[in-house]
Amino acid sequence: MLQPDFVFRGHQAAVNCVHFLANGRHLVSGDQDGLLIVWNMLLKRQLASMPAAHQAAILAVGSIDSTTIVTQGRDNRLNIWTLDAGEFTGALQLAKSLAIESLNFCKFASCAQWIVGLVEGESGCAFVYNFAQDTRHSFSIERKSATRMGDREDSPMCMHLHANGKLELFVGYESNTLQSFQLQISGDSMTASMLCSAKAPHTEPLMSLDVDRDACRIYTCAADRQVCSFAFDATGISEARPVAVLANPGGSQVRRFQAPPIVAVAGWDYAVHLFDSELQRIQDLRFHRAALTAVDVSTKSSEPLPDIADDLVQQRWRAQPQWLAVASRDTRISLWNIQRAAQA
């Protein structure tokens, strides 16, 4: 059975999120106690940490660039951090803190300088923030779901943001409805125009979605056993095809990676489930002793490290593989050579 290449053990509480910075040189993780850690991927050790990055659990972590980190906590704060990274040590400084709703566990979505989060989940009130311009606009992604008791608010559960000349937001709702919106800013106002909508075949609430914009595919996982894929275009979102079925229910996060082209699901059954882009099973990676919460894959760069003069260190950097990072409630983060793991 394949085993991880490295294991990080710096957390004392459940690790809720992991994220590689754009240069692949650093990994960021956040845990249930509000501890934020930045890991040096060349030395495989802690570079910097912030013990009270949030006053409650850290739900999600992302980045704007290789030195700007974004975190969301259960304390209803979205914090933006500046990383000052040296060769052996580093420091985190809080650059901005914004209000965000985290009560329904919907995590922020980001792309380039843009960040989208919820102001009030039940009403579908959301905001988009531009870090470079320091501007914030509110808009609505409200949706009502018909029930036997009448219409009720359909809370957003997960989001994905794409920015390429225009802002496109994909939202998964509690009713397992998928919708995409085009966000348009005009002066001080913003509107969200719905582009398309479809019903996902999940039997339990959606937990996560990811989007391959180049291939026009949406991938979803939920509290049930299904992993779904949807094609979409200007006319709408197609029915789910294909559907992969996990051995056990529950996926915390689904991610679609371009290189190598895999779909990874962080399972509640302690395993990472790897599929190809058509959701054909590759293999399951098992190491952890509790539910998995998040996965991410590093970039592979052939560029030399700009601040390192040692030739031996540069050789070690060029020889590094792409890493698959896996976070778990057992307090550990495992690192896997993704090229080896992606082989059936």
Side-chain angles (χ1 to χ4, degrees):
M1 180 183 295
L2 191 64
Q3 291 294 299
D5 296 78
F6 295 95
V7 179
F8 288 159
R9 294 183 169 87
H11 290 278
Q12 301 300 313
V15 185
N16 291 334
C17 45
V18 285
H19 173 75
F20 282 103
L21 299 187
N23 57 11
R25 190 173 172 181
H26 301 115
L27 175 72
V28 187
S29 57
D31 72 20
Q32 192 69 16
D33 287 344
L35 171 64
L36 180 68
I37 297 179
V38 180
W39 304 87
N40 184 321
M41 290 304 298
L42 186 60
L43 300 177
K44 306 299 185 298
R45 56 176 287 181
Q46 288 189 35
L47 179 82
S49 65
M50 184 61 67
H54 287 271
Q55 298 305 308
I58 298 176
L59 296 181
V61 62
S63 62
I64 293 172
D65 52 40
S66 58
T67 61
T68 309
I69 298 166
V70 184
T71 60
Q72 178 183 351
R74 283 283 283 166
D75 55 1
N76 294 323
R77 303 304 299 178
L78 182 84
N79 291 341
I80 302 176
W81 308 86
T82 299
L83 172 65
D84 181 12
E87 184 177 356
F88 301 107
T89 61
L92 288 163
Q93 182 174 351
L94 184 63
K96 189 78 174 181
S97 185
L98 304 170
I100 187 172
E101 185 188 280
S102 302
L103 296 180
N104 69 342
F105 294 96
C106 184
K107 301 171 183 177
F108 74 90
S110 64
C111 185
Q113 297 287 327
W114 300 95
I115 303 169
V116 171
L118 293 181
V119 177
E120 186 179 21
E122 288 190 359
S123 67
C125 183
F127 71 89
V128 60
Y129 175 74
N130 185 289
F131 178 71
Q133 301 171 4
D134 193 23
T135 57
R136 174 171 170 151
H137 296 84
S138 297
F139 62 96
S140 177
I141 51 174
E142 181 182 20
R143 185 182 184 280
K144 293 186 180 295
S145 179
T147 69
R148 294 179 180 178
M149 304 298 293
D151 290 348
R152 61 178 293 271
E153 299 293 342
D154 198 0
S155 298
M157 298 294 289
C158 45
M159 301 186 294
H160 177 90
L161 182 67
H162 180 76
N164 186 15
K166 61 182 181 180
L167 292 176
E168 191 172 7
L169 180 66
F170 298 83
V171 183
Y173 292 87
E174 188 177 7
S175 66
N176 294 328
T177 299
L178 297 174
Q179 290 186 342
S180 68
F181 299 85
Q182 183 175 338
L183 308 183
Q184 296 176 305
I185 299 175
S186 177
D188 294 332
S189 64
M190 163 168 276
T191 58
S193 303
M194 191 178 71
L195 300 175
C196 52
S197 178
K199 185 79 170 181
H202 293 287
T203 58
E204 297 290 342
L206 278 171
M207 299 300 297
S208 173
L209 68 84
D210 202 4
V211 178
D212 181 347
R213 196 62 184 81
D214 293 336
C216 294
R217 299 289 286 269
I218 304 171
Y219 296 89
T220 62
C221 71
D224 60 12
R225 296 169 56 197
Q226 298 184 88
V227 183
C228 299
S229 170
F230 306 80
F232 67 93
D233 56 25
T235 64
I237 303 174
S238 70
E239 292 185 5
R241 62 173 187 83
V243 174
V245 179
L246 304 177
N248 301 288
S252 298
Q253 186 180 41
V254 59
R255 293 293 308 278
R256 167 69 166 102
F257 301 109
Q258 298 290 347
I262 61 169
V263 176
V265 177
W268 295 356
D269 60 356
Y270 312 173
V272 184
H273 307 283
L274 299 181
F275 305 90
D276 65 18
S277 59
E278 297 299 320
L279 294 185
Q280 296 298 307
R281 181 181 178 276
I282 298 174
Q283 69 168 325
D284 297 339
L285 303 178
R286 295 188 177 275
F287 166 75
H288 291 277
R289 300 176 181 175
L292 306 186
T293 54
V295 292
D296 199 14
V297 168
S298 65
T299 57
K300 177 66 175 175
S301 175
S302 59
E303 296 295 324
L305 296 172
D307 53 345
I308 304 296
D310 191 315
D311 289 340
L312 183 59
V313 174
Q314 293 285 2
Q315 290 176 15
R316 288 177 54 200
W317 174 250
R318 288 192 297 269
Q320 280 218 118
Q322 274 186 279
W323 295 113
L324 169 68
V326 180
S328 171
R329 296 193 183 281
D330 67 6
T331 76
R332 297 178 295 175
I333 301 167
S334 59
L335 296 175
W336 309 72
N337 181 324
I338 189 58
Q339 299 292 345
R340 189 161 59 239
Q343 296 175 0

